[in-house]
Amino acid sequence: WKPMNGSNMVVVSHPWLSEKHPDPTGVQLNELVKALNDLENKGVIDESCGVFYDFCSLPQRPRNHLEEVLFRKQLGGMRK
């Protein structure tokens, strides 16, 4: 996916490892960092690359009304 400014974007979605937190021990985050470093070392991405990490990029529960509206809008945009 390319944002409007033409830079690269990495989109990350992964299964939650517990009911209350997607990655309680950081194992998935560590793998993500390794993968991003590997992509950078191969010249696939550079420091201008954005990362959309679903847990950090979308409002999580509990959400207020505005956060719920934004969450639904963002989910709709991901389906396109």
Side-chain angles (χ1 to χ4, degrees):
W1 182 70
K2 291 235 183 224
M4 290 172 43
N5 68 0
S7 62
N8 289 316
M9 174 73 69
V10 174
V11 178
V12 180
S13 183
H14 59 88
W16 282 44
L17 300 179
S18 78
E19 188 173 314
K20 294 187 178 191
H21 193 281
D23 189 16
T25 63
V27 66
Q28 291 181 340
L29 180 59
N30 286 333
E31 290 301 314
L32 173 61
V33 169
K34 288 179 193 175
L36 291 172
N37 284 333
D38 188 45
L39 290 172
E40 185 176 26
N41 290 337
K42 291 178 179 177
V44 176
I45 62 173
D46 61 22
E47 66 276 351
S48 69
C49 179
V51 177
F52 178 91
Y53 190 51
D54 60 357
F55 175 67
C56 300
S57 301
L58 296 171
Q60 302 299 314
R61 288 189 177 124
R63 295 185 281 265
N64 63 33
H65 176 72
L66 177 58
E67 291 169 334
E68 185 66 31
V69 169
L70 292 172
F71 178 79
R72 298 286 168 194
K73 183 177 181 179
Q74 291 166 332
L75 279 183
M78 292 169 62
R79 293 186 184 123
K80 293 181 180 180

